[in-house]
Amino acid sequence: MKTAEHIETLDEEGRLLADAAETAGTSAKVPTCPSWAVRDLLRHVGMVHRWATAFVAEGRTSYHPDDGLPDLDGAELITWFREGHGRLVGTLAGARPDVECWTFLPAPSPLAFWARRQAHETTVHRVDAESALAGTPGVIPAEFAVDGIEELLLGFHARGRSKVRSDTPRLLRVQATDAGRSWTVRISQEPPVTQRDGAGEADCELSGPAARLYLSLWNRLPFPSLTGDASLAALWRERSGVTWS
């Protein structure tokens, strides 16, 4: 996907997140993040948006910690979230294509990285906000879902920080049935290695529509279809969480 498409998605998803949060109320529980209420979700995503904005707007070329969570709630918190989201979208849309700043996953450019990362950050948390309404999550286009699966498997879980490990080498297959895309994840005592293919035998296969797999791999929904060794899917559930700290 192009950077401009990621920025457009970020813009739309942030608005949907804020709308869902406003409808649910900041005290509503978030079923997809059981320890959170909507206020926790807004504080977290709003903090991340401001943290990301600073790298691009200020050209920060080394890591800087975030500014912490605000002591806000209710309408004031929702307004704070909308302001930070709008500032992030504007910063990315107005940034030079060759802007130099710190990133933490491979990407064609720093701007491409931040646009993609924040589009997916906001989309997953939009689904969290909608879960507080006890309804069906809004649509996620298959192309965007495939892009998010790739970021997760080839980005986050290619890093040494990934806890998806196994003493015995194992193969996990991920098959997006509506997109004609598949990935083979080699899990061992080292960080997972993912290839874009669906060839050969796998110990476990997770298959289904790309959007459903995307949310399942982010541990927001059950896996749509599982064949083979269910313990490998359980290992993913237990160890694949990406945490802020």
Side-chain angles (χ1 to χ4, degrees):
M1 292 181 64
K2 296 180 180 179
T3 297
E5 293 175 305
H6 282 130
I7 296 172
E8 289 173 5
T9 299
L10 166 63
D11 188 15
E12 180 179 2
E13 293 290 335
R15 294 173 189 273
L16 290 172
L17 192 164
D19 290 346
E22 190 166 31
T23 301
T26 57
S27 63
K29 297 297 183 183
V30 180
T32 51
C33 299
S35 64
W36 277 2
V38 167
R39 66 173 63 88
D40 302 302
L41 177 66
L42 288 173
R43 290 167 181 168
H44 169 75
V45 184
M47 173 272 291
V48 172
H49 284 173
R50 285 166 167 76
W51 178 74
T53 297
F55 285 105
V56 179
E58 300 172 19
R60 293 180 172 181
T61 56
S62 61
Y63 172 80
H64 282 250
D66 63 83
D67 291 332
L69 302 177
D71 185 20
L72 299 173
D73 203 352
E76 190 177 8
L77 175 59
I78 294 170
T79 297
W80 175 85
F81 174 86
R82 290 187 190 276
E83 289 174 349
H85 167 251
R87 193 174 306 131
L88 173 60
V89 171
T91 296
L92 293 173
R96 300 190 324 273
D98 61 349
V99 64
E100 291 293 331
C101 61
W102 178 83
T103 62
F104 60 87
L105 293 178
S109 70
L111 181 59
F113 163 79
W114 283 111
R116 183 195 204 193
R117 176 79 291 276
Q118 291 309 301
H120 288 294
E121 174 85 9
T122 307
T123 298
V124 171
H125 286 311
R126 181 266 291 175
V127 171
D128 292 333
E130 289 177 344
S131 78
L133 298 172
T136 302
V139 173
I140 297 174
E143 180 186 15
F144 182 73
V146 165
D147 183 70
I149 292 170
E150 293 234 321
E151 186 200 42
L152 185 61
L153 298 182
L154 292 147
F156 278 105
H157 287 291
R159 301 187 300 170
R161 293 179 62 177
S162 176
K163 297 178 181 178
V164 180
R165 310 289 177 101
S166 172
D167 292 336
T168 303
R170 307 169 82 182
L171 292 180
L172 175 67
R173 174 80 30 74
V174 178
Q175 184 85 30
T177 54
D178 61 339
R181 299 290 296 276
S182 61
W183 301 264
T184 299
V185 186
R186 300 178 182 275
I187 300 173
S188 67
Q189 295 180 358
E190 301 299 320
V193 176
T194 299
Q195 294 178 306
R196 296 184 182 99
D197 67 57
E201 295 292 326
D203 297 294
C204 177
E205 179 171 305
L206 309 174
S207 62
R212 180 68 182 270
L213 283 174
Y214 171 64
L215 294 177
S216 298
L217 290 167
W218 274 106
N219 296 322
R220 262 51 183 196
L221 291 175
F223 294 117
S225 178
L226 187 161
T227 57
D229 186 354
S231 70
L232 190 50
L235 182 148
W236 180 272
R237 283 275 187 236
E238 294 166 2
R239 302 186 186 180
S240 67
V242 176
T243 58
W244 179 249
S245 58

